[in-house]
Amino acid sequence: MEETNGIQGEYGLGLLWSTERIARDNTYFRTDADYRELYMPFLGLVFFADAGNGDQFAVSLSGNCEIYVWNHVDDSRTWVAPTVMRYLEEWMTGRLTV
């Protein structure tokens, strides 16, 4: 089995971020003062990918590992897939859009 440190799609789209970006962006989302004022807390989510439009995909830490998309404009969090594998299948085939 091969391992990877992130997967980039067409035009540099972050289908799965590198471990460095996951750590950096999640730390930023949780510690930046402006983010804390603008958005609901991100404590129950770990962001791991982006949609290329500012929206971000996150896995839930609630034990079910479901995938949500965070809308950066209205701060909504919408369920999109039951697993990371399903997210990848749906996103790469175009069945998942945001």
Side-chain angles (χ1 to χ4, degrees), residues 17 21 24-43 45 47 50 53-56 70-75 77:
W17 293 341
R21 181 165 180 195
R24 181 186 69 237
D25 284 18
N26 281 276
T27 298
Y28 179 75
F29 293 156
R30 287 162 173 73
T31 60
D32 183 77
D34 291 334
Y35 269 56
R36 285 197 311 263
E37 286 184 29
L38 291 172
Y39 303 116
M40 293 184 293
F42 298 115
L43 296 176
L45 301 171
F47 293 99
D50 63 87
N53 62 359
D55 295 346
Q56 316 254 336
W70 168 62
N71 182 308
H72 73 288
V73 175
D74 66 11
D75 196 25
R77 292 104 195 266

Side-chain angles (χ1 to χ4, degrees), residues 15 20 23 44 55 57 65 68 71 75 87 89 92 97:
L15 294 173
E20 291 84 10
D55 295 346
F57 294 100
C65 299
Y68 293 82
N71 182 308
D75 196 25
Y87 147 78
E89 291 169 5
M92 292 190 321
T97 60

Side-chain angles (χ1 to χ4, degrees), residues 72-93:
H72 73 288
V73 175
D74 66 11
D75 196 25
S76 63
R77 292 104 195 266
T78 305
W79 182 93
V80 294
T83 64
V84 172
M85 286 302 294
R86 178 65 64 82
Y87 147 78
L88 283 171
E89 291 169 5
E90 300 292 318
W91 188 242
M92 292 190 321
T93 60

